[in-house]
Amino acid sequence: MIRVTENLAIISDLLAISASEAQRPANAVKLLAVSKKQPISKIRAAAAAGQRDFGENFVQEGIDKIDQCRDLDLVWHFIGHLQSNKTRVVAEYFDWVHTVDKLKTAKRLNDQRPACQSALNVCLQVNLDDESSKSGVTAAGLPALAAAVAELPNLRFRGLMCLPRPADELAAQRKPFAELRKMAESLRANGIETDTLSMGMSGDYQAAILEGATIVRIGTALFGERK
Ligand SMILES: *Cc1c(COP(=O)(O)O)cnc(C)c1O
């Protein structure tokens, strides 16, 4: 039996320690609880312990869980690969999308966001390894995409997200996160507002926090192995 409440307390402490090592305030880093392939009971346990932000990767699984947790006041983040034929439900159900990498997807989310809801928070996923097999906009394509997305009225452009290749050493882990931070700084220098760096998971959150992560996405360390 994984003890979600205890894990949540431990992770919150570890995030605060990492933030303090980075000379950043503890509340500068938000924990996104990645609940994909985890049961509702664990989401409810984390929510009861005060966790509000949850991340899901698969559209159908995500909307089922959102429906089942309507009685809780939770914030839902879509962090999986988004196919353009699935944008409508994502625009209707989620509060954030971290994985936009094409203007076409952004425009669909913008057009499909219900008028009665506040703007959908959006991060652009950047492909730092420049592997064509991976999702994400390239570094070269980022400035134009960010400028276009920032103009869409039903989206709120928040910042950048990355999912780098796993590395063992802290120094190697920091490298891609530092690159993402510099990309956000350069957008800001060009007048595009951004306040979010979504980077770091169970195995590399410490490196991400040292490089300025504002959201770390943690699944296994909080909920245990996925089913
Ligand atoms: C699954 C997933 C995570 C969480 O990974 P853990 O290693 O379980 O912490 C974070 N971000 C994304 C995009 C994921 O798909």
Side-chain angles (χ1 to χ4, degrees):
M1 174 69 189
I2 291 286
R3 286 171 296 193
V4 172
T5 309
E6 286 84 343
N7 287 354
L8 187 59
I10 292 166
I11 291 165
S12 302
D13 285 348
L14 292 173
L15 297 185
I17 291 167
S18 292
S20 125
E21 281 168 358
Q23 296 179 324
R24 303 174 58 206
N27 66 5
V29 183
K30 178 152 72 183
L31 170 62
L32 175 55
V34 176
S35 46
K36 65 170 175 235
K37 305 219 184 240
Q38 300 286 358
I40 294 284
S41 57
K42 289 186 181 176
I43 296 177
R44 289 193 169 274
Q51 178 64 27
R52 290 198 66 222
D53 290 84
F54 291 85
E56 288 286 337
N57 289 61
F58 307 103
V59 174
Q60 190 59 46
E61 179 186 342
I63 66 177
D64 286 348
K65 285 174 171 169
I66 293 170
D67 275 333
Q68 288 180 64
C69 294
R70 288 278 178 209
D71 57 312
L72 304 170
D73 185 25
L74 304 181
V75 180
W76 291 94
H77 300 240
F78 186 77
I79 61 170
H81 177 66
L82 184 53
Q83 292 166 275
S84 61
N85 63 342
K86 300 268 180 70
T87 50
R88 182 174 299 277
V89 277
V90 169
E92 288 172 357
Y93 275 75
F94 283 85
D95 303 293
W96 284 71
V97 179
H98 290 229
T99 46
V100 172
D101 61 0
K102 288 185 187 68
L103 186 56
K104 181 182 166 208
T105 314
K107 281 182 168 161
R108 288 177 66 96
L109 290 169
N110 179 69
D111 294 343
Q112 294 166 344
R113 181 68 168 173
C116 59
Q117 287 175 241
S118 56
L120 179 65
N121 297 289
V122 160
C123 293
L124 298 180
Q125 182 175 357
V126 181
N127 178 357
L128 294 167
D129 302 323
D130 266 337
E131 293 172 67
S132 51
S133 60
K134 282 183 65 175
S135 307
V137 60
T138 60
L142 174 64
L145 180 60
V149 169
E151 293 298 315
L152 296 172
N154 300 324
L155 304 185
R156 182 168 169 211
F157 174 63
R158 300 299 296 264
L160 306 180
M161 178 271 201
C162 69
L163 196 53
R165 230 186 261 121
D168 292 331
E169 303 286 324
L170 185 70
Q173 291 175 350
R174 286 181 70 162
K175 235 172 146 183
F177 298 142
E179 278 178 50
L180 199 73
R181 171 172 51 75
K182 286 178 193 142
M183 289 177 192
E185 283 163 4
S186 129
L187 292 180
R188 246 177 258 129
N190 286 296
I192 298 174
E193 260 183 73
T194 117
D195 63 7
T196 300
L197 284 174
S198 167
M199 56 190 199
M201 318 201 296
S202 294
D204 57 10
Y205 68 84
Q206 192 188 2
I209 290 172
L210 286 169
E211 295 299 343
T214 65
I215 298 180
V216 291
R217 308 179 308 265
I218 295 189
T220 321
L222 175 58
F223 293 119
E225 291 300 327
R226 289 179 273 274
K227 296 283 137 44

